[in-house]
Amino acid sequence: MLIDNHNRKINYLRLAVTDRCNLRCNYCMPESGIDFSKKDTLFTLEELSRLSSILVSQGIDKIRITGGEPFVRKDLMVLIRNLSNMKGLKDISITTNATLIGPYITELKALGIKNINVSMDAINRETFKKITRRDEYDIVYDNIIRMINEGFNVRINFIALTGQNTQDILPMLALAKNYNVCVRYLEEMPFNGGSRHFEGNTWDYKRILSHIKEAYPEYEEIPSEATSTSMNYRIPGFKGTFGIIPSFSRTFCGSCNRLRITATGDVITCLYAQPSMNIREILRGESSEENVVKQILQAIGSRAKTGFEAQNRQEGTYTNSMTTIGG
Ligand code: SAM
């Protein structure tokens, strides 16, 4: 079992399979993109499977595949097939922008994948285009509806962006009224790869909730898992639910069970921390299994207690992009 230096069990791996993305969300990276990693610095799919298997043997039982956009990797299904056969792995989830997932939905369902998080920061087509700098609204919307109808547990991640999309907070909730989907509102974080200056957040979780409360005063809180980062709610008469994630306010660090590994092998023990080390060459070297475990134990043995502590350890402002970290 993986236990960190604050006695928290780590059983959830967020595995980025690429840092590339076909969208250019303005709160994530500059229009021109970032300095994307060269191919030989990325794990191969075989390496990602092997790394996952080593970590599952140590007690990881949930893996979320993320990126960049995971489906930019044409061979992604090879990894998902391997994971779906991995003993001890109880939950394989995916975070995607849903632009490229269409051809894989049937197989994902057949493999038993249930949980798909889709980023969609606007229900208005023009706002979506402005934020993502791409004209992909229809395909994203259609794939979301298709996945809901196919029975996936779909959660929509909506980042509340001051001056950009907060007028869509309530209209977006209409999806949860009509469909069995969870719409989750997140606070913006400072990981935008230099896309813009980030000072803080005027739309924090309290403001988002009170905005929703004004329209739906009858909403009720529903129980969440102890390790959940979202506070979850139901509005009477709605088929779906909604959630709010204080990702910048960081009220949930005490129960954090996550480990992040980037597509190039950086091990990140807190979103707000610098990578602890890089595992790629260790995985490629001799006695890799033993050495990977040793390094991972070392990394989680010196985790910051909270995102604020991690931030205090950091010099200067953040320059990295979420497309590298994986969200
Ligand atoms: N391409 C996939 C997607 O769009 O969901 C996965 C990668 S994306 C980097 C993961 C998540 O990070 C998305 O939900 C995205 O909205 C979120 N994200 C990116 N930059 C962010 C920022 N600066 N603040 C908060 N969330 C951010």
Side-chain angles (χ1 to χ4, degrees), residues 14 20-23 25 27-29 65-70 95-98 117-121 157-159 161 186-192 198 247 321-327:
R14 297 180 63 100
R20 287 173 193 262
C21 189
N22 55 332
L23 301 185
C25 301
Y27 59 89
C28 184
M29 64 175 123
I65 295 169
T66 179
E69 171 48 38
T95 298
T96 174
N97 61 32
N117 288 3
V118 179
S119 307
M120 193 183 192
D121 306 300
N157 286 345
F158 177 111
I159 316 296
L161 303 161
L186 289 90
E187 295 173 349
E188 186 180 0
M189 293 180 266
F191 313 116
N192 61 38
F198 180 88
S247 35
S321 161
M322 200 67 107
T323 198
T324 308
I325 310 170

Side-chain angles (χ1 to χ4, degrees), residues 14-129:
R14 297 180 63 100
L15 187 61
V17 298
T18 178
D19 58 357
R20 287 173 193 262
C21 189
N22 55 332
L23 301 185
R24 286 288 178 274
C25 301
N26 62 30
Y27 59 89
C28 184
M29 64 175 123
E31 188 157 16
S32 54
I34 58 162
D35 191 9
F36 294 109
S37 304
K38 308 250 172 334
K39 201 168 171 218
D40 63 342
T41 66
L42 297 178
F43 282 126
T44 64
L45 268 284
E46 188 276 329
E47 287 169 337
L48 286 168
S49 300
R50 206 152 57 79
L51 177 60
S52 302
S53 166
I54 295 170
L55 293 174
V56 168
S57 77
Q58 295 302 306
I60 292 290
D61 60 14
K62 169 173 178 173
I63 296 182
R64 174 172 297 284
I65 295 169
T66 179
E69 171 48 38
F71 289 94
V72 160
R73 271 193 91 147
K74 302 245 177 342
D75 48 359
L76 179 68
M77 291 306 290
V78 175
L79 172 65
I80 298 179
R81 284 178 210 131
N82 287 341
L83 293 180
S84 70
N85 283 319
M86 211 169 272
K87 261 211 174 116
L89 184 56
K90 295 185 195 144
D91 180 354
I92 305 158
S93 307
I94 303 173
T95 298
T96 174
N97 61 32
T99 53
L100 305 169
I101 199 171
Y104 308 105
I105 291 175
T106 305
E107 187 179 0
L108 289 169
K109 188 174 171 184
L111 289 172
I113 310 303
K114 293 201 171 61
N115 300 315
I116 313 263
N117 288 3
V118 179
S119 307
M120 193 183 192
D121 306 300
I123 197 71
N124 173 282
R125 186 178 277 97
E126 281 313 304
T127 308
F128 180 92
K129 195 170 163 185

Side-chain angles (χ1 to χ4, degrees), residues 8 64 191 237 264 318-319:
R8 293 172 293 202
R64 174 172 297 284
F191 313 116
T264 58
Y318 292 99
T319 53

Side-chain angles (χ1 to χ4, degrees), residues 213-267:
K213 192 176 174 184
E214 269 176 37
Y216 298 102
E218 70 280 24
Y219 78 90
E220 303 156 356
E221 187 159 1
I222 51 179
S224 311
E225 275 180 41
T227 52
S228 169
T229 53
S230 70
M231 301 168 295
N232 299 304
Y233 306 91
R234 168 182 303 133
I235 298 172
F238 277 45
K239 288 189 178 154
T241 56
F242 76 94
I244 301 186
I245 305 188
S247 35
F248 186 65
S249 302
R250 287 160 268 179
T251 55
F252 45 66
C253 302
S255 58
C256 181
N257 62 344
R258 293 149 189 238
L259 176 70
R260 291 177 167 81
I261 301 187
T262 71
T264 58
D266 280 351
V267 176

Side-chain angles (χ1 to χ4, degrees), residues 203-219:
W203 277 86
D204 68 0
Y205 72 103
K206 291 182 193 152
R207 185 168 177 195
I208 298 168
L209 188 59
S210 72
H211 182 61
I212 293 174
K213 192 176 174 184
E214 269 176 37
Y216 298 102
E218 70 280 24
Y219 78 90

